[in-house]
Amino acid sequence: MASRSLGGLSGSRCGGGGGGKKSLSARNAAVERRNLITVCRFSVKTLIDRSCFETIDDSSPEFNNFAAILEQILSHRLKEIPQSCRWLAHLQIPLQGQVTWFGYESPRSFWDYIRVACRKVSQNCICSIENMENVSSSRAKGRAWIRVALMEKHLSEYISTALRDFKTTRRFYDDGAIVLGEEANMLAGMLLGLNAIDFSFCLKGEGLDGNFPAVIDYTPYLKFTQSSDSISSDEEELRTLGSSGSESSTPENVGPPFIMDENSWFNKCKRVKQKYQLTLEQKGYLEELLRLRENQLSESVSQNKILLQRIEDSDLAHKLEKEQLEYIIVELQDQLKSYQSLDQLSAEVSLSQTSLDPSHSQEGDGKQDTLNLITEGKEDTPSLLGLCGSLTSVASYKSLTSLKSNDYLASPTTEMTSPGLTPS
């Protein structure tokens, strides 16, 4: 019974220890993922700040650090090739790293995942990197891809496309990898800001050497703040540590850190001065552009006033022309009415002639001749002259009005008794 109880107690202790190990490993994995993402965000900000003053190339320490961070993120919890699959090395299936006919030449790198997951990107550089002569190892090809993608301003697009292919990502990475967690979306978003930088790289340099792993330099992102509750200063603490370590150590040993601090302040002051000069140049450019736009605006306003005056003049001319045309229309209508009354008068004369005796035909002929003389003696109609623009048809209108009277036409009774119109 005692042995059984001891056995149960030992079993429960082992079980509790297993749970603690799992929680500790999960905590370590979460901290590792968070550290890499945070450092990557700092690195991107540093690159953007540096690009304002100089061109980013292979010699830039900010870029080298960023490339190392991105390589560590894409290599985080990458699956190893199982021993049972090594006999398929000569087939070069997507699960392999750099292979030869005799087996593996180098372990798998993130390039094996990128070349499979990013082939759906339009106009991708996968084939061109595969055919590079001076790049042989898989790690070197991955580093060349980072540089080419940055120069093409498509690194964020490559990463987003690869992360959307979740099936391929699960095939290449173990659980707990950054590319499988929530941090992957943050990674694609923060890399989008690099599209505003113009990179210039040489794809034949030492940075593509795949024989050495990438190492991250954390010192540019570390900052220690002196606590207000601290009794001694940083200088005193460094002196104390130096004296406790060796008797021959002197306070001058702590000089270089402070000299480096002064240099860092000098570099910051220099950067601020450069930003100030750049801001002044931009201010002058914007002021000159503002003056140019103001001149253009004043010219446009003056031209607008001229066009408005022309429109008003044309409207006035159109109104006068309209009034003249209306006057001509009224005049033509009056002339048309006078002609209609003249036609009625001639019709009445013809009816009176037909009602008379035939013996008075000569008298009718004489009256007809008189009517013809009256018609021929009348001036030409002014309607055509009016259409041609003449408005001096008042005399013709008076003549037409005079024709309405009976002074020029004799009644049938007067014509019979008039001695001048008696037949011979």
Side-chain angles (χ1 to χ4, degrees), residues 71 97-99 105-112 129-130 132-145 207-212:
E71 184 174 343
Q98 185 68 23
V99 296
E105 186 178 282
S106 62
R108 173 190 285 176
S109 71
F110 68 94
W111 168 248
D112 301 307
I129 292 177
E130 288 283 356
M132 292 178 66
E133 297 179 355
N134 60 323
V135 180
S136 58
S137 64
S138 177
R139 181 182 294 173
K141 290 180 179 180
R143 294 174 179 176
W145 168 78
L208 300 181
D209 189 4
N211 297 326
F212 302 97

Side-chain angles (χ1 to χ4, degrees), residues 201-225:
F201 301 118
C202 178
L203 300 181
K204 297 181 181 180
E206 297 179 356
L208 300 181
D209 189 4
N211 297 326
F212 302 97
V215 179
I216 302 174
D217 183 12
Y218 292 95
T219 55
Y221 317 115
L222 299 179
K223 182 179 179 181
F224 174 75
T225 303

Side-chain angles (χ1 to χ4, degrees), residues 373-396:
L373 289 174
I374 293 171
T375 307
E376 291 177 358
K378 174 186 169 300
E379 62 180 358
D380 295 333
T381 176
S383 60
L384 296 177
L385 297 176
L387 291 175
C388 295
S390 175
L391 301 176
T392 59
S393 59
V394 180
S396 61

Side-chain angles (χ1 to χ4, degrees), residues 6-294:
L6 291 175
L9 182 60
S10 62
S12 61
R13 287 181 179 179
C14 291
K21 290 181 180 179
K22 289 182 179 179
S23 62
L24 182 60
S25 63
R27 183 260 179 191
N28 293 338
V31 171
E32 185 180 7
R33 292 195 302 268
R34 187 167 61 251
N35 289 341
L36 286 175
I37 291 297
T38 303
V39 171
C40 184
R41 183 170 65 251
F42 290 157
S43 178
V44 170
K45 291 182 178 180
T46 306
L47 272 177
I48 295 175
D49 292 340
R50 175 62 64 178
S51 65
C52 298
F53 307 105
E54 60 184 20
T55 304
I56 305 298
D57 53 10
D58 296 281
S59 62
S60 175
E62 289 82 6
F63 165 73
N64 292 327
N65 211 25
F66 168 76
I69 293 170
L70 184 61
E71 184 174 343
Q72 291 285 348
I73 290 175
L74 294 178
S75 302
H76 184 249
R77 299 188 67 83
L78 188 66
K79 286 183 179 180
E80 297 291 339
I81 301 297
Q83 296 289 337
S84 59
C85 297
R86 292 195 174 185
W87 64 275
L88 296 173
H90 64 280
L91 297 179
Q92 297 187 5
I93 59 176
L95 290 176
Q96 295 175 346
Q98 185 68 23
V99 296
T100 62
W101 287 96
F102 302 99
Y104 276 81
E105 186 178 282
S106 62
R108 173 190 285 176
S109 71
F110 68 94
W111 168 248
D112 301 307
Y113 163 67
I114 291 297
R115 68 172 181 171
V116 176
C118 295
R119 289 192 179 274
K120 296 180 181 179
V121 178
S122 60
Q123 300 179 356
N124 61 75
C125 59
I126 304 298
C127 295
S128 60
I129 292 177
E130 288 283 356
N131 298 328
M132 292 178 66
E133 297 179 355
N134 60 323
V135 180
S136 58
S137 64
S138 177
R139 181 182 294 173
K141 290 180 179 180
R143 294 174 179 176
W145 168 78
I146 293 176
R147 288 161 171 77
V148 173
L150 286 173
M151 288 190 291
E152 293 180 351
K153 303 181 185 298
H154 292 329
L155 181 60
S156 177
E157 182 181 358
Y158 279 109
I159 297 297
S160 300
T161 304
L163 295 178
R164 282 196 296 268
D165 191 357
F166 189 74
K167 184 178 180 181
T168 303
T169 306
R170 291 286 301 175
R171 190 172 62 187
F172 277 88
Y173 290 91
D174 291 324
D175 293 336
I178 295 178
V179 295
L180 292 176
E182 297 178 356
E183 297 86 357
N185 297 327
M186 298 173 57
L187 176 65
M190 70 178 65
L191 294 179
L192 191 62
L194 299 177
N195 294 341
I197 304 177
D198 294 329
F199 294 92
S200 177
F201 301 118
C202 178
L203 300 181
K204 297 181 181 180
E206 297 179 356
L208 300 181
D209 189 4
N211 297 326
F212 302 97
V215 179
I216 302 174
D217 183 12
Y218 292 95
T219 55
Y221 317 115
L222 299 179
K223 182 179 179 181
F224 174 75
T225 303
Q226 178 73 28
S227 175
S228 60
D229 299 332
S230 179
I231 300 175
S232 60
S233 62
D234 295 340
E235 184 177 359
E236 294 176 353
E237 290 177 357
L238 289 174
R239 288 177 180 176
T240 304
L241 292 175
S243 61
S244 62
S246 174
E247 294 181 357
S248 62
S249 62
T250 60
E252 284 76 12
N253 293 334
V254 300
F258 294 99
I259 295 175
M260 291 178 62
D261 192 14
E262 292 177 359
N263 292 333
S264 64
W265 279 108
F266 177 76
N267 293 331
K268 289 181 179 180
C269 182
K270 186 177 179 180
R271 292 178 183 178
V272 171
K273 185 177 179 180
Q274 291 176 350
K275 289 183 178 180
Y276 177 72
Q277 292 178 354
L278 181 62
T279 305
L280 284 181
E281 294 177 357
Q282 293 178 351
K283 178 176 176 291
Y285 169 74
L286 292 176
E287 289 178 351
E288 183 65 24
L289 184 63
L290 180 61
R291 285 194 294 268
L292 179 62
R293 293 293 182 265
E294 287 178 351

Side-chain angles (χ1 to χ4, degrees), residues 300-319:
S300 300
V301 170
S302 60
Q303 292 178 359
N304 189 21
K305 289 181 180 179
I306 295 172
L307 291 176
L308 289 176
Q309 186 63 33
R310 289 180 180 177
I311 291 173
E312 291 178 358
D313 295 341
S314 61
D315 289 340
L316 182 59
H318 290 162
K319 289 180 180 179

